[in-house]
Amino acid sequence: MTRLPSKRHFAILLLFPGCLLWSASVLAVEKVRVMALFADKAMLQIDGKQRLLRAGQKSPEGVLLVSADANGAVIEVNGKRDSYGLGSQVGGHFTRRQMAEVKIWADARGSYNTMGSINGRMVDMLVDTGATTIAMSEVEAKRLGIPYRIRGEKTGVRTASGFAKAYAITLDQVQVGELVLQQVEAVVVEGNSPHRVLLGMSFLSRVKMEHKGTLMVLQGKF
Protein backbone atom coordinates (compact mmCIF):
# COMPACT_ATOMS: atom_id res chain seq x y z
CA MET A 1 0.00 0.00 0.00
CA THR A 2 1.25 3.45 -0.87
CA ARG A 3 1.66 5.68 2.15
CA LEU A 4 0.13 9.15 1.81
CA PRO A 5 2.04 12.23 3.00
CA SER A 6 0.97 13.59 6.32
CA LYS A 7 -0.73 16.99 6.69
CA ARG A 8 2.58 18.31 7.94
CA HIS A 9 4.26 17.31 4.67
CA PHE A 10 1.53 19.04 2.68
CA ALA A 11 2.03 22.22 4.68
CA ILE A 12 5.74 22.23 3.83
CA LEU A 13 5.06 21.65 0.14
CA LEU A 14 2.54 24.49 0.03
CA LEU A 15 4.59 27.01 1.95
CA PHE A 16 7.93 26.46 0.23
CA PRO A 17 6.99 28.00 -3.16
CA GLY A 18 5.64 31.04 -1.34
CA CYS A 19 8.98 31.44 0.43
CA LEU A 20 10.79 31.44 -2.89
CA LEU A 21 8.57 34.18 -4.27
CA TRP A 22 8.99 36.26 -1.11
CA SER A 23 12.81 35.97 -1.29
CA ALA A 24 12.85 37.05 -4.93
CA SER A 25 10.81 40.16 -4.14
CA VAL A 26 13.17 41.12 -1.32
CA LEU A 27 16.23 40.78 -3.52
CA ALA A 28 14.76 42.89 -6.36
CA VAL A 29 16.19 46.42 -6.55
CA GLU A 30 13.46 49.06 -6.38
CA LYS A 31 15.27 52.31 -7.19
CA VAL A 32 18.68 53.30 -8.59
CA ARG A 33 19.83 56.87 -9.17
CA VAL A 34 22.95 58.13 -10.95
CA MET A 35 24.65 60.56 -8.53
CA ALA A 36 28.03 61.14 -10.23
CA LEU A 37 29.85 60.04 -13.35
CA PHE A 38 33.55 59.48 -13.97
CA ALA A 39 35.73 57.65 -16.47
CA ASP A 40 34.89 53.93 -15.95
CA LYS A 41 33.25 54.70 -12.58
CA ALA A 42 29.89 55.89 -11.30
CA MET A 43 28.40 56.85 -7.95
CA LEU A 44 24.96 55.26 -7.67
CA GLN A 45 22.29 55.50 -5.02
CA ILE A 46 20.73 52.06 -4.74
CA ASP A 47 17.61 51.84 -2.60
CA GLY A 48 18.95 54.73 -0.50
CA LYS A 49 22.55 53.47 -0.20
CA GLN A 50 25.45 55.10 -2.04
CA ARG A 51 27.72 52.75 -4.01
CA LEU A 52 30.82 53.70 -5.98
CA LEU A 53 31.18 51.11 -8.73
CA ARG A 54 33.82 50.49 -11.36
CA ALA A 55 32.92 49.35 -14.87
CA GLY A 56 32.19 45.62 -14.72
CA GLN A 57 31.55 45.68 -10.96
CA LYS A 58 28.29 44.53 -9.36
CA SER A 59 26.94 46.06 -6.13
CA PRO A 60 25.87 43.92 -3.14
CA GLU A 61 22.29 44.56 -4.28
CA GLY A 62 23.03 43.04 -7.70
CA VAL A 63 23.23 46.23 -9.78
CA LEU A 64 25.89 45.94 -12.51
CA LEU A 65 27.76 48.95 -13.88
CA VAL A 66 28.55 47.92 -17.44
CA SER A 67 30.36 51.10 -18.50
CA ALA A 68 30.60 54.79 -17.59
CA ASP A 69 32.04 58.10 -18.70
CA ALA A 70 31.31 61.79 -18.10
CA ASN A 71 28.29 61.64 -20.43
CA GLY A 72 26.43 58.65 -19.03
CA ALA A 73 26.46 55.09 -17.76
CA VAL A 74 25.17 51.71 -18.92
CA ILE A 75 23.57 49.96 -15.95
CA GLU A 76 21.95 46.56 -15.55
CA VAL A 77 19.16 46.47 -12.96
CA ASN A 78 17.05 43.39 -12.30
CA GLY A 79 18.30 41.84 -15.54
CA LYS A 80 17.48 44.89 -17.69
CA ARG A 81 20.36 46.86 -19.27
CA ASP A 82 20.02 50.47 -20.44
CA SER A 83 21.86 53.83 -20.69
CA TYR A 84 21.35 56.58 -18.10
CA GLY A 85 22.56 60.15 -17.70
CA LEU A 86 23.53 62.12 -14.61
CA GLY A 87 20.59 62.47 -12.22
CA SER A 88 18.41 59.92 -13.99
CA GLN A 89 16.64 57.26 -11.99
CA VAL A 90 15.72 53.63 -12.56
CA GLY A 91 12.45 52.50 -10.98
CA GLY A 92 10.25 54.23 -8.43
CA HIS A 93 8.06 57.22 -9.09
CA PHE A 94 10.63 59.72 -10.27
CA THR A 95 10.11 63.31 -11.35
CA ARG A 96 13.37 65.03 -12.13
CA ARG A 97 13.97 67.99 -9.83
CA GLN A 98 14.63 71.37 -11.37
CA MET A 99 17.24 71.95 -8.69
CA ALA A 100 20.26 69.66 -8.34
CA GLU A 101 20.85 68.46 -4.79
CA VAL A 102 23.59 66.65 -2.86
CA LYS A 103 23.23 65.20 0.64
CA ILE A 104 26.35 64.71 2.76
CA TRP A 105 26.23 63.06 6.19
CA ALA A 106 28.71 63.92 8.95
CA ASP A 107 31.10 61.17 10.03
CA ALA A 108 31.87 60.18 13.63
CA ARG A 109 34.19 63.20 13.96
CA GLY A 110 31.61 65.63 12.64
CA SER A 111 33.41 66.06 9.30
CA TYR A 112 31.59 66.14 5.98
CA ASN A 113 33.33 63.99 3.38
CA THR A 114 32.19 63.40 -0.16
CA MET A 115 33.39 62.05 -3.48
CA GLY A 116 33.65 64.50 -6.35
CA SER A 117 35.64 65.21 -9.46
CA ILE A 118 37.97 67.93 -10.68
CA ASN A 119 38.35 68.35 -14.43
CA GLY A 120 36.70 64.95 -14.84
CA ARG A 121 38.96 63.02 -12.44
CA MET A 122 37.67 61.56 -9.20
CA VAL A 123 38.80 63.00 -5.84
CA ASP A 124 38.03 62.56 -2.15
CA MET A 125 36.86 65.89 -0.69
CA LEU A 126 36.42 67.38 2.77
CA VAL A 127 33.87 70.18 3.05
CA ASP A 128 35.64 73.14 4.69
CA THR A 129 33.66 76.36 5.15
CA GLY A 130 36.76 77.94 6.71
CA ALA A 131 38.74 77.66 3.47
CA THR A 132 38.44 80.65 1.14
CA THR A 133 38.91 78.50 -1.95
CA ILE A 134 39.25 74.88 -2.93
CA ALA A 135 42.67 73.78 -1.70
CA MET A 136 44.83 70.78 -2.57
CA SER A 137 48.42 69.65 -2.18
CA GLU A 138 50.81 69.71 -5.11
CA VAL A 139 50.92 65.91 -4.84
CA GLU A 140 47.18 65.79 -5.56
CA ALA A 141 47.48 68.43 -8.30
CA LYS A 142 50.09 66.35 -10.09
CA ARG A 143 47.88 63.26 -9.83
CA LEU A 144 45.04 65.23 -11.39
CA GLY A 145 47.27 66.53 -14.16
CA ILE A 146 46.80 70.20 -13.25
CA PRO A 147 49.63 72.39 -14.69
CA TYR A 148 49.64 74.68 -11.67
CA ARG A 149 53.25 75.88 -12.13
CA ILE A 150 52.49 76.93 -15.71
CA ARG A 151 48.96 78.27 -15.38
CA GLY A 152 49.02 79.25 -11.71
CA GLU A 153 50.05 82.46 -10.00
CA LYS A 154 52.45 82.34 -7.05
CA THR A 155 50.83 83.19 -3.73
CA GLY A 156 50.84 82.13 -0.10
CA VAL A 157 48.34 80.59 2.32
CA ARG A 158 48.06 80.19 6.07
CA THR A 159 47.72 76.63 7.28
CA ALA A 160 47.60 74.94 10.69
CA SER A 161 51.40 74.61 10.44
CA GLY A 162 51.92 78.25 9.46
CA PHE A 163 52.57 80.06 6.18
CA ALA A 164 53.04 77.98 3.03
CA LYS A 165 53.85 78.76 -0.59
CA ALA A 166 51.07 78.07 -3.05
CA TYR A 167 49.79 78.66 -6.58
CA ALA A 168 46.43 80.29 -7.32
CA ILE A 169 44.67 78.58 -10.23
CA THR A 170 41.26 78.29 -11.85
CA LEU A 171 39.81 74.81 -12.23
CA ASP A 172 37.89 74.13 -15.44
CA GLN A 173 35.21 72.04 -13.75
CA VAL A 174 34.33 70.84 -10.25
CA GLN A 175 31.57 68.31 -9.70
CA VAL A 176 29.98 67.05 -6.49
CA GLY A 177 27.07 64.70 -7.11
CA GLU A 178 24.72 66.47 -9.53
CA LEU A 179 26.29 69.88 -8.86
CA VAL A 180 28.65 70.92 -11.64
CA LEU A 181 30.43 74.30 -11.60
CA GLN A 182 32.75 75.74 -14.21
CA GLN A 183 35.77 78.01 -13.64
CA VAL A 184 36.25 77.56 -9.89
CA GLU A 185 39.09 79.26 -8.02
CA ALA A 186 41.54 77.06 -6.12
CA VAL A 187 45.03 76.97 -4.62
CA VAL A 188 47.71 74.33 -4.87
CA VAL A 189 49.82 74.21 -1.71
CA GLU A 190 53.45 73.11 -1.97
CA GLY A 191 54.10 69.79 -0.24
CA ASN A 192 51.80 66.89 0.57
CA SER A 193 49.25 68.76 2.69
CA PRO A 194 46.25 68.91 2.82
CA HIS A 195 45.90 65.16 2.48
CA ARG A 196 42.40 65.53 1.01
CA VAL A 197 41.03 68.19 -1.29
CA LEU A 198 39.33 70.91 0.76
CA LEU A 199 36.01 71.92 -0.75
CA GLY A 200 36.15 75.61 0.17
CA MET A 201 33.99 78.68 -0.32
CA SER A 202 34.93 79.28 -3.97
CA PHE A 203 32.59 76.31 -4.60
CA LEU A 204 30.28 76.48 -1.57
CA SER A 205 29.40 80.16 -2.03
CA ARG A 206 28.01 79.34 -5.48
CA VAL A 207 25.52 76.79 -4.15
CA LYS A 208 22.85 76.81 -1.47
CA MET A 209 24.03 75.17 1.75
CA GLU A 210 21.78 73.98 4.57
CA HIS A 211 22.44 72.01 7.77
CA LYS A 212 19.84 69.59 9.11
CA GLY A 213 21.37 68.05 12.19
CA THR A 214 24.20 65.80 10.98
CA LEU A 215 23.08 66.22 7.37
CA MET A 216 24.44 68.87 5.00
CA VAL A 217 22.37 69.61 1.91
CA LEU A 218 23.91 71.39 -1.08
CA GLN A 219 21.63 72.69 -3.82
CA GLY A 220 22.32 74.40 -7.09
CA LYS A 221 21.34 78.03 -7.58
CA PHE A 222 19.03 78.41 -10.55
Side-chain angles (χ1 to χ4, degrees):
M1 176 183 290
T2 304
R3 187 176 181 181
L4 295 174
S6 66
K7 292 182 179 180
R8 182 180 178 183
H9 289 158
F10 275 121
I12 293 174
L13 290 172
L14 290 172
L15 287 175
F16 187 66
C19 292
L20 287 178
L21 293 174
W22 179 83
S23 298
S25 63
V26 170
L27 293 175
V29 174
E30 295 183 358
K31 188 162 54 179
V32 179
R33 187 171 186 179
V34 181
M35 303 300 294
L37 292 168
F38 313 99
D40 297 323
K41 295 179 185 178
M43 178 72 77
L44 306 179
Q45 188 178 73
I46 305 173
D47 290 343
K49 296 181 180 179
Q50 285 199 359
R51 305 291 189 190
L52 178 62
L53 300 180
R54 296 177 180 272
Q57 182 180 1
K58 184 177 289 187
S59 76
E61 297 82 7
V63 174
L64 173 66
L65 178 65
V66 180
S67 63
D69 57 30
N71 299 315
V74 177
I75 305 170
E76 185 177 297
V77 183
N78 298 330
K80 296 181 180 180
R81 184 175 296 190
D82 209 340
S83 299
Y84 301 92
L86 182 65
S88 61
Q89 183 164 301
V90 187
H93 301 287
F94 175 64
T95 303
R96 188 179 179 87
R97 288 193 302 266
Q98 295 182 350
M99 185 175 293
E101 180 180 276
V102 178
K103 294 181 179 180
I104 306 173
W105 293 91
D107 62 18
R109 298 181 178 181
S111 300
Y112 293 88
N113 303 286
T114 185
M115 296 299 298
S117 71
I118 292 177
N119 297 348
R121 301 195 65 175
M122 189 171 60
V123 293
D124 184 16
M125 296 178 170
L126 170 65
V127 178
D128 188 351
T129 56
T132 306
T133 69
I134 289 177
M136 70 184 77
S137 68
E138 61 178 350
V139 173
E140 186 69 7
K142 289 176 181 177
R143 185 186 73 83
L144 295 172
I146 298 173
Y148 61 95
R149 291 185 181 273
I150 298 174
R151 293 173 50 185
E153 181 179 344
K154 289 184 178 180
T155 184
V157 295
R158 292 192 178 277
T159 68
S161 303
F163 185 82
K165 294 180 180 180
Y167 292 83
I169 59 171
T170 299
L171 303 172
D172 295 332
Q173 178 180 291
V174 179
Q175 177 178 342
V176 179
E178 297 178 36
L179 298 173
V180 182
L181 298 183
Q182 312 290 336
Q183 301 298 298
V184 185
E185 295 180 358
V187 293
V188 176
V189 184
E190 289 189 351
N192 60 359
S193 184
H195 300 299
R196 280 180 292 179
V197 173
L198 303 182
L199 188 64
M201 294 307 295
S202 59
F203 182 94
L204 298 174
S205 64
R206 293 170 59 181
V207 301
K208 293 180 180 180
M209 183 168 52
E210 182 180 1
H211 280 91
K212 299 179 179 180
T214 57
L215 174 65
M216 176 182 289
V217 180
L218 303 180
Q219 292 182 329
K221 291 182 179 179
F222 296 102

